[in-house]
Amino acid sequence: MLLELLGERERELQDAVISGPPPLGPGAPAAERLVAFLLALHQLVGEHRALFLAADESSPLSRFSLSTYAAWRQHTAILLRQLHPDADALTLADLTLAPLTAAVHVHLLDERDLDLDPKHLQAEIERFARLLSG
């Protein structure tokens, strides 16, 4: 039920990745797309972290079996494969997406009070994405 509430927002992100303007959508280099995607996912999870967290707590592993997560994982893997051809792109994609969970956002934004400077976490997500892209 909770995941259904998030479905519309997740579909908006998916649509932007598939057919939106670059750099989130097609047409930009893989490094730029990865940064744009991770920032967009960070924004989505950050804004709706309470709902994501509640959904995750009710069934902690259920998100991994959802088509939305599979699409994000696949998209991330494709970009990472372009950037790092020798890497295990699917495993690296899971590791890349792991810090963008609701629990991590709650910890960083609510428990550590990083939302006192909302740009701080966004800047660190961007740094993380650029490290992966380099």
Side-chain angles (χ1 to χ4, degrees), residues 28-111:
E32 290 178 32
R33 290 195 78 195
L34 182 63
V35 170
F37 174 67
L38 294 181
L39 286 172
L41 184 56
H42 153 67
Q43 182 176 353
L44 174 69
V45 174
E47 289 175 0
H48 303 286
R49 62 188 176 273
L51 285 174
F52 277 111
L53 186 63
D56 288 349
E57 286 177 347
S58 67
S59 182
L61 298 177
S62 66
R63 289 203 57 74
F64 297 110
S65 64
L66 295 175
S67 61
T68 304
Y69 181 82
W72 292 345
R73 180 181 188 243
Q74 186 64 31
H75 175 64
T76 304
I78 289 168
L79 298 174
L80 290 168
R81 193 173 291 119
Q82 291 173 20
L83 295 165
H84 306 285
D86 295 334
D88 176 349
L90 289 173
T91 299
L92 192 54
D94 283 325
L95 293 170
T96 300
L97 295 173
L100 296 168
T101 63
V104 172
H105 274 73
V106 166
H107 170 69
L108 292 173
L109 294 172
D110 301 331
E111 294 175 357

